[in-house]
Amino acid sequence: MPQRTPIILDVDTGIDDSLALLYAAGSEDAELVAATCVFGNTEAATAARNTQMILELAGRGDVEVALGCEQLLHRPLRTAPETHGPLGLGHAELPAPRGSLSPRSGPDLIVAEARSRPGEITLITLGPLTNLAVALEREPDLPRLLGGYALMGGAYRASGNTTPTTEWNIHCDPDAARAVFRAWGAAAATNPAVSRPLALGLDVTEQGIFLPSHLERLTVRAGAANPIVRYMTDALRFYMEFHERYDGFYGAFVHDPMAVAATLDRTLVRTEAVHVDVETSGDLTAGMTVADWRHLTGQAPNLDVAVEADASTFLDRLIDRIGGLAVARSGMAL
Ligand code: RIB
Ligand code: CA
């Protein structure tokens, strides 16, 4: 049995977040401790409902799901129905959740779990960083109490996907992202035990393009009637139609599962330590991740930014792990 990494996924479940949840559920080297939900692709309450439905589809209705921040710290809410569909899961329809949401809020769950298992749990944020920013306000020692932190977010040399210079997760709440990056920078500067967050931006996540041929491999593995295959087919059809309109190819950037895969296996990416801050007031650039590649600010690196990824191995592993989960769930009551 491989060593299992305890992880908490902070999600704005949308389509690629759902693939990250399925990837984690299908990973023997992960202990899925909990999921915390935030606004982003859809409203936070819808993201939480989607997360419950996906985890129950995966046979992991036992995983605690907590509702987090429904509003930004200082700005108006914006969601992405054009990308993920009005309810966040594209064309897919799933049975209503049977379980209940956690009585704990997302930020409170993150703080409590980190305090109860100091140095053990890795938090992976796959949406706006609002929950983590609020958790940091409640527990400033979080960078030390967490065993690690990874995020899907930012565009460090790449163009943005929301404005020319901004990536969606950071764009949604620049103030939260700035607070998180600065907190980890300050903690790492005074405590060598605090590792820099692993940041997967569009630079690498847009190398992971899920194509119809990948879905075909999954279908061959688990069968077209398999509930997880049916879900993926319906959700990804919407997502691929979006990419065809906006990016000119019929496929899908699967950002979030790549962040989970790289957290579980750092050999999938090559990283460079760099100081990154977040623009919060620029008319044209609010939400931009400003990476000091040439060390002009004199500030110490605060992120390990992924600059290359083995996308082929990641995609093979995505199909293998979700395919294995689907086969294991074949014929079982949903
Ligand atoms: O920019 C991509 C990110 O924004 C992904 O996490 C996607 O789910 C959306 O939240
Ligand atoms: Ca997401």
Side-chain angles (χ1 to χ4, degrees):
M1 187 74 168
Q3 185 177 358
R4 301 203 306 161
T5 302
I7 59 175
I8 292 174
L9 298 186
D10 187 72
V11 290
D12 60 332
T13 306
I15 295 167
D16 61 328
D17 303 73
S18 73
L19 300 190
L21 289 161
L22 292 173
Y23 186 94
S27 294
E28 290 184 355
D29 53 354
E31 176 198 346
L32 186 50
V33 173
T36 54
C37 306
V38 67
F39 67 86
N41 291 325
T42 187
E43 293 75 9
T46 303
R49 174 181 167 84
N50 290 344
T51 301
Q52 287 180 292
M53 293 191 293
I54 293 297
L55 288 173
E56 289 176 12
L57 175 69
R60 293 305 313 275
D62 61 296
V63 175
E64 186 175 357
V65 178
L67 176 63
C69 298
E70 301 188 78
Q71 288 296 333
L72 287 85
L73 301 178
H74 308 298
R75 300 167 193 256
L77 175 66
R78 176 183 165 192
T79 58
E82 77 290 339
T83 309
H84 296 266
L87 294 178
L89 297 180
H91 295 303
E93 292 181 6
L94 289 173
R98 291 188 296 276
S100 304
L101 287 174
S102 169
R104 302 190 283 185
S105 73
D108 285 346
L109 183 153
I110 291 167
V111 170
E113 290 300 319
R115 284 173 176 165
S116 69
R117 299 173 66 175
E120 287 186 34
I121 296 173
T122 295
L123 173 69
I124 309 174
T125 60
L126 302 174
L129 278 55
T130 313
N131 281 342
L132 180 50
V134 170
L136 274 167
E137 288 172 357
R138 295 176 185 167
E139 177 49 87
D141 204 14
L142 210 49
R144 184 184 66 80
L145 291 171
L146 284 171
Y149 169 46
L151 67 138
M152 190 281 135
Y156 302 94
R157 286 193 175 108
S159 295
N161 64 356
T162 306
T163 70
T165 63
T166 63
E167 177 279 324
W168 175 257
N169 288 337
I170 309 301
H171 176 89
C172 278
D173 196 341
D175 309 288
R178 168 178 280 196
V180 167
F181 291 1
R182 290 185 175 186
W184 250 267
T190 55
N191 183 345
V194 173
S195 52
R196 288 183 296 269
L198 170 63
L200 276 81
L202 299 178
D203 316 70
V204 293
T205 64
E206 290 189 340
Q207 294 171 25
I209 300 180
F210 197 91
L211 295 169
S213 58
H214 292 112
L215 191 56
E216 180 56 30
R217 285 169 55 187
L218 199 60
T219 305
V220 167
R221 173 84 183 273
N226 180 281
I228 289 176
V229 174
R230 286 209 322 268
Y231 165 73
M232 297 262 295
T233 302
D234 292 341
L236 284 165
R237 186 170 76 254
F238 188 99
Y239 206 31
M240 291 182 179
E241 290 162 356
F242 163 80
H243 284 85
E244 189 171 41
R245 284 195 304 275
Y246 286 84
D247 297 293
F249 65 87
Y250 191 74
F253 294 134
V254 284
H255 309 278
D256 292 341
M258 187 186 280
V260 176
T263 302
L264 297 174
D265 176 6
R266 283 290 286 259
T267 68
L268 286 176
V269 293
R270 183 173 72 82
T271 64
E272 290 182 17
V274 62
H275 180 269
V276 179
D277 205 343
V278 181
E279 178 56 60
T280 57
S281 61
D283 291 342
L284 297 177
T285 57
M288 179 178 180
T289 43
V290 182
D292 183 13
W293 294 110
R294 299 179 70 170
H295 314 290
L296 299 174
T297 66
Q299 299 196 68
N302 57 345
L303 293 185
D304 283 342
V305 170
V307 293
E308 287 175 6
D310 181 350
S312 172
T313 300
F314 155 64
L315 288 165
D316 287 344
R317 202 169 290 176
L318 181 67
I319 293 162
D320 180 53
R321 294 190 179 194
I322 295 182
L325 178 68
V327 169
R329 296 285 294 146
S330 293
M332 295 178 76
L334 273 179

